[in-house]
Amino acid sequence: MRILHFFIALFVFFKAEFSFSQKKEKDTIQRLEEVVIIQAIDFEKYDYHSGLSEKEIEELTPVDVGELLQKIPGTTLKSYGSLGGLKTVSMRSMGATHTTIVGDGFSIQNMQTGQVNLGQIDVENIVGVVSSVGRRSQLMLPVSAQVSGSNFLLKTFENTFSSDTLQIRTTLKVGSFGQKMGYLAGKYCPKNWMISLSGTRKISQGNYPYLFLNGNQYLKGIRINNDYEDYAIRSTVGFRWKNKVSMRLGYKQSKINQALPGAVILYNNTQDERMKTEDRKLFMDVFIHKNRWATRLYTNGNFNVLNYTDPTFLNNSGGIDVTYTNRFWTAGVTLSWRNDQWELHGGFEEVWSSVRAVGSVIGEPERLHTYGLIGGKYMFLSGSNFFLDLSTQYVNEENKTGLEGQDRWRINPFLGYRSSVSGQWRWKHEIWYRNSFRMPTFNELYYNNIGNTLLLPEDAHQFNYSLRFMPIRKKNWHINFKNNIYHNRVKNKIVAVPTKNLFIWSMQNVGKVAVYGYETILSAHLRMSHQWKIEMSVNYSYQRTVDITKKGSPTYKHQVAYVPVHTMNMDASLYYQRFGLRLSNYGISDRYSLNENVLQNRVEGFLISDVIFFYTLPIKKHVLRLQAAVKNILDVPYAYIRSFVMPGRNYLISLSYAFN
Amino acid sequence: MRLIKYLLLVVVLLVSCKKKEPKPENTPVVLKNGMLVLCEGLFQQNNSTVSWVDFSSGDIDNQFFQTKAGRMLGDTGNDIQRYGGKIYIIVNVSSTIEVLNASTFEPIEQISMIENNIAKQPRYIVFKNGKGYITCYDGYVDVLDTASLTITNRIKVGENPEGLTIVNHTLYVANSGGLSFPDVDSTLSVVDLVTETETMKITIGKNPGQVIADNQGDVYVITRGDYSTIPTAITRVSSQTNTVLEYLNINASEIEKKGDQFLIANYDFNTQTSNVSLFDPQTESVLNSSFIDNSGITTLYGITYNPINDKIYISDAMEFTNTGYIREYSSSGTYIQSYHVGLNPNNIVFYD
């Protein structure tokens, strides 16, 4: 089956190559340059590590953000199930807690776990995704995101100004396992104003069949206790004046009620855990641009309540019923000044966060995290430039009901050199080094018996060299290459080890990890005629991520758990008039469920193929679009995490309407 | 475009060059002169295994259950015992009891320990007069008829019962309450095996775990404290009066009988050090506080004495996340050799 899978992928790409050779015309837009522009302001397109445009996102028909981010090279997705399942992502093996998710210029955070559950971020309204590793400072990014190891930036429909007075978007999706989704959004932009309102509703039974390899045979099963239901409403009001001042004020509220199926446990199918999440976000920013100066003032707050229940847990309370309330508030300012040769920038941000629990022991921790950033870029006449940033962070920890973690202070540099574009192939080089760290999460510091208040932050060093070139630039077709070679080191890695008994594992700074990586992105575009067009992209990531904690240990220089050495995406879209067909392939090599690379820990790699058919009917300013997706078309049994099975072949039909 | 071809070719090659599971060689038909090692694996990984170690050839099959049964054992194998002509494996999270032929290790039956859609989570098993008594985390001891392989009764005891032992017609069950940590249980249930009912509870100390009886009929219970200010200890209970005789200030994670004496093993999670002492239950005194050279042990997780060859076997869990070893020692505690087995080896059954 695996071979067949590859043949399909090969066929599509070789077919595409053949077609290219028939048509050699002039230049066109390169894919990397048409990726998302989060805001029109100060977003240097060429800084992007990689991204997905609105068109690509629409074609992929994702059910969650995790499906999008895994298309970006260097990412490692951990998915514990389909719709609603916990999903986290890390970039270049540094760990999910080194990665910041930014939505429309505001950080999405959870201080308790340190990582964002991608399964709980709405995907229907996302019109752009960008990954940035080692990017230079940007005015529209919060300072906390600028100094983190890597970022994923999400852009939504509702929070951006439009030149059209009225825009409407609506989508209805129906899919396998009882999936039903509805999305309705409207944006009204009279003169200088922008008012948007949107809502999303999703329901799924989640009872998908699966195959689970049990010894010499596959066990057939149906996922139970996997239902999911949510709603979200959002509203934003914005104002802008002569491209000099703009401001936004927005609110979002969502509620999720979901079952947690947990791992497939052989011979025991009794899961009955549930989780309810209520989330409220308020955000505001003001952007001012005058002559050589630009500044952004921003603030956002988040109130999140998570309730977890397990009625059959065999304790003396007759089950588990615990509620965690997370709060955080951010306020900051970014500033930049530039002339022909120099660009200076800086920023300051305060993040206050806390967690409270009922039914569990985590203390009453609060954290005040202060960020400062100053940096500059010198631009040579040739177009190349040198850049240097220095960031400082001070973290103040408090716990009102117990031991508290120590305050931390750090200064971290980020520097590099970027060449100008040269030659017929538009060669461009970049080399940079970034030092960053991440604080232990509230869970790691304070959670019941697991927490350890003596934990040190995890330190990360990243070295990167990039080479980009465009060997073919014709009018109707082009090929674009981007290559990265990198080396990362993470020390004081926080890992759980049994410190009391086998059931009670607590957090320790015992890990050191070295990462040797390579990424390549190839994109091509071919317009054969006014009616026919092909677009394709391939990316491949090599990540040798090894444990270098202790010489002589059974895991010394073994590949770290759940990091695949090889990751690959191969996508191709064929367009004919109003019809389109996309083949999307995602594959990862074998991984290990534990750091010891022995056969019994091996988790099989997989290659998943989706086929999406779409038809677009534009009528003046109205666009009607019908999509039919067959996901995992070859019905491959697979899992990102051992025992957390993913669905086999499934279907998703989408009908969307857009005005303007 | 040639580059694309090469890239795809490389990927195809990489994915197709997969390591294959080595097929075990010389799988024994009849088990003799060796040991079955239960390796519990890790929670939610379905990776419990049974290793067969052949003492004669030195061959080790670390997928022995799968080799014989054609399927996996399940999640968190917790106890393995031989009784009569059968082997019983208690699989905690999968909530099953695997019954196999003791001579050939061919599977006989898998008993599901799920009732009313609630997993009973069995932990340990002991036997008497054709019946198996199984502690279940839902607060019961299940009675198994070893002839019909059916559960015939459920005896209500305390919270999250763990270890158990039988003295004459009385069953002693340690009620750990471990799933309510830090609000743990502190009692030992006394069960009359004739009426199959709990007759009393004895308060013995926080978080009781293993229970073992000496040749004089005294019952020793390891209390595991709170893993912090209250350390592990041993409580001695009289089976005559069902009262606590004394609290022994000895750190212990497991006790194993060696003739008339006890081997007391302890792994200190804080210092990550292992220790085995020799204890005389007649004089209630430690004869040798460092009976075994612990320099080769990373994470002591179990101790078993083999009366057939008069040797001691230490289960080394290798920090719990690496495949483990069985360390073999002479009767006097001198290291002999190691056997590389599965993840978190905890219990052993020997064959002559």
Side-chain angles (χ1 to χ4, degrees), chain A residues 14 17 214 264 266-268 314 316 449 498-502 555 570 590 593 596 599 602 642-643, chain B residues 1 5 8 18-19 22 40 44-46 71-72 93-94 160 180-181 183 227 269 301 322-323:
Chain A
F14 290 152
E17 183 200 9
N214 179 8
V264 169
L266 283 172
Y267 320 123
N268 178 355
L314 301 173
N316 57 14
N449 299 290
T499 50
K500 295 179 174 67
N501 62 31
L502 190 50
T555 61
M570 296 190 295
D590 290 349
S593 58
E596 189 182 14
L599 282 173
R602 195 180 73 193
R642 186 175 193 144
S643 307
Chain B
M1 280 303 104
K5 282 182 188 171
L8 290 170
K18 298 177 69 62
K19 293 175 187 170
E40 78 180 59
Q44 290 198 332
Q45 301 229 1
N46 293 304
R71 58 182 174 84
M72 295 195 288
V93 177
S94 285
N160 311 137
S180 301
F181 188 87
D183 184 20
Y227 311 108
F269 279 85
Y301 194 51
N322 302 307
T323 46

Side-chain angles (χ1 to χ4, degrees), chain B residues 212-215 218 220 255-258 260-264 277-281:
Chain B
I212 191 169
D214 67 11
N215 292 344
D218 286 351
Y220 293 75
I255 303 173
E256 172 74 355
K257 277 178 86 170
K258 179 176 180 287
D260 291 336
Q261 296 171 325
F262 283 170
L263 295 164
I264 300 179
S277 56
L278 187 66
F279 181 84
D280 184 352

Side-chain angles (χ1 to χ4, degrees), chain B residues 35-185:
Chain B
M35 60 180 169
L36 291 170
V37 181
L38 176 63
C39 304
E40 78 180 59
L42 280 172
F43 179 57
Q44 290 198 332
Q45 301 229 1
N46 293 304
N47 58 355
S48 293
T49 54
V50 175
S51 298
W52 166 251
V53 179
D54 189 317
F55 289 145
S56 308
S57 63
D59 289 346
I60 302 172
D61 181 352
N62 283 326
Q63 299 293 334
F64 195 55
F65 182 89
Q66 192 171 315
T67 303
K68 289 287 187 175
R71 58 182 174 84
M72 295 195 288
L73 181 57
D75 202 298
T76 315
N78 203 65
D79 196 11
I80 182 168
Q81 297 294 335
R82 180 177 185 169
Y83 183 70
K86 300 187 185 90
I87 293 286
Y88 298 81
I89 304 174
I90 309 298
V91 191
N92 172 230
V93 177
S94 285
S95 270
T96 56
I97 302 171
E98 299 284 353
V99 185
L100 304 105
N101 183 301
S103 175
T104 63
F105 208 64
E106 295 295 336
I108 297 172
E109 186 147 340
Q110 181 191 64
I111 303 168
S112 175
M113 298 292 278
I114 293 172
E115 193 171 276
N116 298 325
N117 205 37
I118 294 177
K120 295 191 272 188
Q121 297 192 35
R123 295 289 292 170
Y124 292 95
I125 187 167
V126 294
F127 300 92
K128 177 92 177 181
N129 295 337
K131 290 182 177 177
Y133 299 92
I134 305 141
T135 48
C136 298
Y137 256 174
D138 64 345
Y140 287 86
V141 172
D142 277 21
V143 182
L144 174 73
D145 183 325
T146 59
S148 65
L149 297 178
T150 54
I151 302 295
T152 57
N153 194 14
R154 304 205 77 205
I155 306 167
K156 179 72 179 152
V157 289
E159 292 169 25
N160 311 137
E162 283 275 15
L164 69 176
T165 195
I166 295 171
V167 180
N168 299 324
H169 295 289
T170 305
L171 176 70
Y172 293 88
V173 183
N175 302 310
S176 74
L179 295 183
S180 301
F181 188 87
D183 184 20
V184 293
D185 204 329

Side-chain angles (χ1 to χ4, degrees), chain A residues 2-3 6 9-10 13-14 16-18 20 212-217 262-272 312-317 361 448-449 469 477 479 481 496-505 520 522 524 536 538-540 550 553-555 562 566 568 570 588-590 592-602 604-605 642-644, chain B residues 1-5 7-9 11-12 14-16 18-22 40-47 49 62-63 65-67 70-76 78 92-96 98 110 112 114 117-121 123 137-138 159-160 162 179-184 207 226-228 269-270 272 301 318-323 340-344:
Chain A
R2 188 186 302 276
I3 294 299
F6 269 104
L10 286 169
F13 284 100
F14 290 152
E17 183 200 9
F18 175 77
F20 287 149
F212 187 84
L213 186 61
N214 179 8
N216 307 331
Q217 58 202 356
V264 169
I265 301 294
L266 283 172
Y267 320 123
N268 178 355
N269 205 17
T270 61
Q271 295 88 349
D272 53 8
T312 56
F313 189 75
L314 301 173
N315 61 357
N316 57 14
S317 309
V361 180
N448 209 347
N449 299 290
F469 59 97
W477 75 291
I479 295 178
F481 270 104
V497 296
T499 50
K500 295 179 174 67
N501 62 31
L502 190 50
F503 299 101
I504 302 177
W505 296 43
T520 186
L522 181 153
M536 54 177 281
V538 180
N539 66 57
Y540 165 78
K550 193 164 60 179
S553 140
T555 61
Y562 287 117
H566 310 284
M568 178 195 60
M570 296 190 295
I588 57 177
S589 59
D590 290 349
Y592 294 91
S593 58
L594 296 167
N595 281 0
E596 189 182 14
N597 294 177
V598 293
L599 282 173
Q600 72 180 85
N601 292 337
R602 195 180 73 193
E604 288 243 323
R642 186 175 193 144
S643 307
F644 285 83
Chain B
M1 280 303 104
R2 193 170 297 169
L3 264 173
I4 302 176
K5 282 182 188 171
L7 183 64
L8 290 170
L9 199 63
V11 174
V12 171
L14 288 170
V15 178
S16 7
K18 298 177 69 62
K19 293 175 187 170
K20 301 290 181 193
E21 292 276 356
E40 78 180 59
L42 280 172
F43 179 57
Q44 290 198 332
Q45 301 229 1
N46 293 304
N47 58 355
T49 54
N62 283 326
Q63 299 293 334
F65 182 89
Q66 192 171 315
T67 303
R71 58 182 174 84
M72 295 195 288
L73 181 57
D75 202 298
T76 315
N78 203 65
N92 172 230
V93 177
S94 285
S95 270
T96 56
E98 299 284 353
Q110 181 191 64
S112 175
I114 293 172
N117 205 37
I118 294 177
K120 295 191 272 188
Q121 297 192 35
R123 295 289 292 170
Y137 256 174
D138 64 345
E159 292 169 25
N160 311 137
E162 283 275 15
L179 295 183
S180 301
F181 188 87
D183 184 20
V184 293
N207 200 1
D226 62 358
Y227 311 108
S228 175
F269 279 85
N270 294 314
Q272 298 179 359
Y301 194 51
M318 299 298 291
E319 298 176 334
F320 299 109
T321 52
N322 302 307
T323 46
H340 194 182
V341 293
L343 194 62
N344 295 328

